[in-house]
Amino acid sequence: MLAFEEQVVADLVEDPNGGLVVLSSGLPLASIAAALLLHLHQSPPGHGGCLLVLSALDPLKARICRLLQGKLLQVHDVAPDLPAQQRASLYAPGAALFLSPRALAADLLTSRILPSRVRALLLLSAHRSSDTSSDAFIARLLRQRHLLPVYAFSDRPHAMVSGFSKAERAMKSLYVRRLHLWPRFHVLAAADLERSPPDVVDVRVPMTPPMRGIQAAVLAAMDACLKELRRTNKVDVEDLTVDKGLFKSFDEIVRRQLDPIWHTLGKKTKQLVADLRTLRKLLDYLVRYDAVTYLKYLDTLRVSEGIRSVWILADSSHKIFELAKRRVYQAVRADGVNASTDNKMGAPAKKRKMAHNSTKKGKETENKDPSVHRDDTVKVNGDVGIILEEVLEEAPKWKVLRELLQEIAEEQIARNYENVQDGDKSDESGIVLVTCKDERTCLQLQECISKGPRQVMQEEWKKYLIGKAELQGLNKKNKRKPDQPKGFGVLDGEVQMTPSETAVPVSISKLETNALLAAASELRITNESDVNDDSNVCCSKKGLVEKAKRKSKKTTAKRHCYNRKNKSKGGNDNGQTTILDGEGQSGKTNEQDETDASKASTYDAFLSDSTTGDTCNYSSAFGDLANGKPLPPVQFHALDSDQHVLDVWKPSVIIVYHPDVAFVREIEVYKAENPSSNLKVYFLFYEDSTEVQKFESSIRRENEAFESLIRQKSLMMIPVDQDGRCIGPTVANESEPLLCQNSVTRKAGGKKPPEKEMQVIVDMREFMSSLPNVLHQKGIRIVPVTLEVGDYILSPLICVERKSITDLFQSFASGRLYNQVETMARYYRIPVLLIEFSQDKSFSFQSASEIGDDVSPTNIISKLSLLVLHFPRLRIVWSRSLHATAEIFISLKTNQDEPDEKKATRVGVPSEDGIVEDDVRAENYNTSAIEFLRRLPGVTDSNYRAIMDECNSLAELALLPVERLAELMGGQKGARMLKEFLDAKCPTML
């Protein structure tokens, strides 16, 4: 451990109440938590109870378990679905348990674990804590009758300053009184991390002219959307900057301000918020993915968003689409004139015309192969003739990465030669770690090194053409498009033309599409001939898949041969391949096979091969690929997997392909823990790009967050009692001070009579929400059980089914709500549907202008109206927030008996012989008979209840005279219709 980590643990254990620690992102949270658990276990009071750890994410949990492996402390990861009896047996003194808040809250309420048997509580995501969170609920249950230290951690400082005094409110809810701030610029942390820093090389890669043009156009569109959003005067103008718009938290900032008035906003304002999210993705994907994938994503945006988006209608959007297309291909007329708009940004250097042979894509000329679709040929070669020129612009970072790897390999060879001459034996692994944002980029970079960038771009281009052809085939099957376009503009697929080109009668976009389809057709025919020669498969698509599978198997077998001694598991083991939004699924199986094959090489394989003098390890899989030059052993790591791989692979060189602040701190900590190792770090930045701006802004945002927390700490007021214990939020059922009890002395000694304790039976699944916590704050006793009918039982008569807004829409869509209301109405006299809104969101489904006059099967108001008409006894309760729901429950329970726990758990559960105990349906509610009664002639919604009160069965109804039926049904006409129907003879077959 580093010195500042030991100081964090020492500061925490000083206060018996515990404390809240806020770290910079990337600092060793797992190491500090493991050291604290070990210290609590070894201290003298440690044998008196178990240690509970909550809110730990799976990667963080795995790392803590790995750090505690081999220690005397027993660590158990308790699954949420583990039976209660087995969970209770794990609460042993001296054990550390990773628990879910839902299971622990239920065990504390049912006394399966007593607070006196708990040594300490650790919360590893304190930025999610609030007065209504599950963490605060558990802290209150533990601190009510027992002084217990609560240790809370957070490595998201910007999340601790969102909202008004977020840190102070979280500390009060967790019953802690001390705030420990450990930013990167802390004196002790900076001294430890800067004692032996790694050798850092900052590589700035210039962007291509089309990339710079796209970035400028996206920033212009984002600025235009922000200016339009400022005109609404409903959002804080200081937060509406392009600098903040580069982060995901920007969406949360805007939505948090607009949610209370969301139902009053117009469609344009709502679309602006969604457009800002889309534009941020466009900036991120520009520097992350290749040109073909980026164009594919833009095509999906044009189809999915279309006219609804505001940014697509802006002037800069045409530039985005045109430049993205120019990075992949260009449409040139047969006379050599560029068919698209003038090339103002300068054309990329590498181009290749599409020749008609077995290895290259199709070229649209007047002498085209007759085997290709003739319709497309006629359309393309009508009056103009379009030739597609491949551009397939490679990412500039690809070339720089290959050059860096070659340079590193040469340095390693020279260093090894010097060590051999001097007789020294190097302890370095020689592994080069390349870190990317997601696993898809890792896979693509690996293919670039092994196959070459040009072949990778050709494969992406093939997938793009095949996807275009398949989509066009589906469109032709599903609907018939008109020959003439309906409008003119980018959205309609047409491009403005210069005066010299106005004589062309056919739209350029249509000619480009036909040229792409023809190229895809020729590619498909070429693949069909290859597959026919190989395995007599006729279907072109199947041939492509089979060919890719054979290739993947050969590659996998080859890599397993190189890595047969592999035993270690790296950070990509649990990662998942990230598929870009809107991207097609073609080639997904091949990518997954390649991903699995890429995980085979690790640090142990390299060492085992190098010790035997065999240099043919993972790097030899890339042998003679870089112009015959050797490459070092390379490992790829996806930052999205949240795995810590530095301690496992121990790399000598790290290439940060996608810069990330948290990973930079991990590199610093790793180098500080291993000061003797020679570590070199390369940062690859696109020069003058939003990538650099985002990286610098993230550091600036974190520093500003810590400065705000430092100011809050100086002004913070945490109430404590005379024993020094932190006083958290007041609970309604806590005993009042004696002075308050004797304040009214005229009432027989002044003591208030003890109030009856209310209790609510709560379904176990409802502990995922915060309502049981708020009910407990109001002084209501919570009884957690597993219910078959309803979510909350308030009394023997009242059953409540609680629905949030998203759950309500999903329940209507699946039909689950109908069955739930039917069972509630069957077993309880007062079934209640509670619709609960969020406190910070609008208390409305939709604006008043959007509510129609007619009943619509898609409208939520119409669905609720039909539900109430079908179940007349159903009561709908609207709640604005969690606290409002608690007040409603208290008012509903007034003058009601307390519910019976045993009876509530038996409702709806059949016994062994299939008979439901205490079934109310047989006596009062026969669903089939009532449905049959309401369909009889003369019976209406206004008189069927009177008939049910008079008759116990349909047989009694048939015996009633017409006069009595007229009294019940309110008229002679309806009574005669019903009597004639019941007495009519059935026709017989002769």
Side-chain angles (χ1 to χ4, degrees), residues 647-933:
D647 296 332
V648 179
W649 284 333
K650 301 185 184 302
S652 303
V653 180
I654 300 176
I655 299 177
V656 185
Y657 193 83
H658 292 141
D660 182 73
V661 174
F663 186 71
V664 171
R665 305 267 167 74
E666 291 179 21
I667 295 175
E668 289 184 307
V669 173
Y670 168 73
K671 185 62 175 68
E673 292 174 348
N674 303 275
S676 60
S677 63
N678 295 323
L679 181 63
K680 195 169 185 178
V681 182
Y682 292 91
F683 284 93
L684 295 185
F685 285 102
Y686 279 116
E687 193 173 7
D688 299 330
S689 68
T690 55
E691 187 179 37
V692 182
Q693 183 181 357
K694 184 177 180 180
F695 182 77
E696 295 173 350
S697 297
S698 59
I699 300 176
R700 188 164 56 249
R701 286 173 68 238
E702 185 179 276
N703 292 339
E704 291 174 354
F706 271 111
E707 291 172 1
S708 176
L709 286 173
I710 292 171
R711 288 193 298 269
Q712 290 183 31
K713 185 179 179 180
S714 63
L715 304 173
M716 198 175 290
M717 296 182 64
I718 305 295
V720 296
D721 57 11
Q722 58 185 1
D723 298 328
R725 302 201 317 175
C726 177
I727 301 175
T730 57
V731 181
N733 58 359
E734 288 183 351
S735 58
E736 297 180 357
L738 187 62
L739 182 63
C740 296
Q741 293 179 358
N742 296 332
S743 58
V744 184
T745 58
R746 293 180 294 174
K747 293 184 179 180
K751 188 173 182 178
K752 294 182 180 179
E755 297 181 359
K756 183 180 69 171
E757 184 182 23
M758 294 183 178
Q759 76 174 17
V760 174
I761 298 175
V762 183
D763 186 33
M764 284 288 297
R765 293 176 288 269
E766 279 298 305
F767 280 89
M768 300 290 289
S769 68
S770 301
L771 185 55
N773 179 13
V774 178
L775 292 175
H776 187 268
Q777 281 185 359
K778 298 292 183 181
I780 299 177
R781 179 171 173 261
I782 305 298
V783 182
V785 296
T786 300
L787 296 176
E788 291 293 329
V789 178
D791 293 330
Y792 297 86
I793 310 299
L794 305 184
S795 73
L797 305 178
I798 303 176
C799 175
V800 179
E801 180 70 32
R802 174 186 170 273
K803 294 291 181 187
S804 61
I805 302 304
T806 55
D807 192 17
L808 180 70
F809 279 85
Q810 293 174 0
S811 299
F812 268 123
S814 63
R816 189 173 75 251
L817 182 59
Y818 180 88
N819 297 327
Q820 290 172 338
V821 173
E822 184 181 13
T823 52
M824 282 198 305
R826 184 180 303 167
Y827 295 112
Y828 290 94
R829 186 171 297 177
I830 308 177
V832 178
L833 173 62
L834 170 69
I835 301 176
E836 189 177 270
F837 290 76
S838 297
Q839 187 172 1
D840 54 348
K841 293 188 178 181
S842 58
F843 189 48
S844 172
F845 283 130
Q846 52 194 169
S847 60
S849 60
E850 295 176 352
I851 300 178
D853 299 332
D854 299 331
V855 175
S856 172
T858 58
N859 193 353
I860 187 65
I861 303 298
S862 301
K863 293 179 180 180
L864 282 172
S865 304
L866 293 173
L867 187 69
V868 173
L869 287 174
H870 200 82
F871 299 100
R873 290 196 291 119
L874 177 66
R875 301 292 179 259
I876 297 182
V877 175
W878 306 83
S879 176
R880 185 182 292 272
S881 64
L882 294 168
H883 296 279
T885 303
E887 296 293 340
I888 291 171
F889 279 9
I890 292 174
S891 61
L892 289 177
K893 284 179 65 63
T894 306
N895 300 326
Q896 293 282 339
D897 296 333
E898 296 301 326
D900 186 6
E901 176 184 351
K902 295 182 179 179
K903 185 176 180 181
T905 54
R906 287 200 311 264
V907 169
V909 180
S911 59
E912 294 181 358
D913 54 355
I915 301 174
V916 179
E917 298 179 4
D918 300 329
D919 193 358
V920 201
R921 173 180 52 185
E923 301 175 3
N924 298 334
Y925 203 82
N926 190 340
T927 310
S928 303
I930 293 176
E931 294 295 331
F932 179 74
L933 173 65

Side-chain angles (χ1 to χ4, degrees), residues 488-746:
F488 188 82
V490 180
L491 295 178
D492 297 308
E494 297 202 8
V495 182
Q496 294 183 4
M497 304 175 64
T498 58
S500 61
E501 297 171 342
T502 53
V504 180
V506 188
S507 67
I508 295 299
S509 179
K510 192 172 184 181
L511 294 173
E512 287 183 9
T513 304
N514 292 332
L516 287 171
L517 293 176
S521 302
E522 183 172 350
L523 173 66
R524 195 155 46 196
I525 292 171
T526 304
N527 287 323
E528 281 181 8
S529 61
D530 293 342
V531 173
N532 284 331
D533 296 339
D534 237 359
S535 58
N536 295 326
V537 179
C538 297
C539 178
S540 62
K541 186 177 178 181
K542 185 177 180 181
L544 282 174
V545 174
E546 292 294 331
K547 192 174 180 182
K549 285 183 177 179
R550 288 197 301 275
K551 184 177 180 182
S552 176
K553 289 180 180 178
K554 291 180 181 178
T555 309
T556 307
K558 186 176 181 181
R559 291 206 177 137
H560 279 298
C561 175
Y562 285 119
N563 304 288
R564 57 188 179 273
K565 298 180 181 179
N566 172 34
K567 294 179 182 178
S568 174
K569 294 183 179 179
N572 290 347
D573 290 351
N574 298 325
Q576 296 179 356
T577 304
T578 304
I579 303 299
L580 192 63
D581 297 351
E583 185 181 341
Q585 301 296 324
S586 60
K588 185 175 179 181
T589 307
N590 305 338
E591 290 184 1
Q592 188 62 38
D593 293 339
E594 291 287 338
T595 305
D596 297 336
S598 67
K599 298 172 185 175
S601 172
T602 53
Y603 169 54
D604 292 341
F606 173 75
L607 284 185
S608 60
D609 288 338
S610 60
T611 52
T612 58
D614 182 11
T615 57
C616 291
N617 45 40
Y618 188 75
S619 62
S620 65
F622 296 143
D624 66 355
L625 297 174
N627 301 324
K629 297 182 179 180
L631 291 179
V634 183
Q635 285 289 352
F636 294 91
H637 169 53
L639 297 174
D640 286 351
S641 62
D642 291 332
Q643 301 289 336
H644 296 269
V645 298
L646 298 178
D647 296 332
V648 179
W649 284 333
K650 301 185 184 302
S652 303
V653 180
I654 300 176
I655 299 177
V656 185
Y657 193 83
H658 292 141
D660 182 73
V661 174
F663 186 71
V664 171
R665 305 267 167 74
E666 291 179 21
I667 295 175
E668 289 184 307
V669 173
Y670 168 73
K671 185 62 175 68
E673 292 174 348
N674 303 275
S676 60
S677 63
N678 295 323
L679 181 63
K680 195 169 185 178
V681 182
Y682 292 91
F683 284 93
L684 295 185
F685 285 102
Y686 279 116
E687 193 173 7
D688 299 330
S689 68
T690 55
E691 187 179 37
V692 182
Q693 183 181 357
K694 184 177 180 180
F695 182 77
E696 295 173 350
S697 297
S698 59
I699 300 176
R700 188 164 56 249
R701 286 173 68 238
E702 185 179 276
N703 292 339
E704 291 174 354
F706 271 111
E707 291 172 1
S708 176
L709 286 173
I710 292 171
R711 288 193 298 269
Q712 290 183 31
K713 185 179 179 180
S714 63
L715 304 173
M716 198 175 290
M717 296 182 64
I718 305 295
V720 296
D721 57 11
Q722 58 185 1
D723 298 328
R725 302 201 317 175
C726 177
I727 301 175
T730 57
V731 181
N733 58 359
E734 288 183 351
S735 58
E736 297 180 357
L738 187 62
L739 182 63
C740 296
Q741 293 179 358
N742 296 332
S743 58
V744 184
T745 58
R746 293 180 294 174

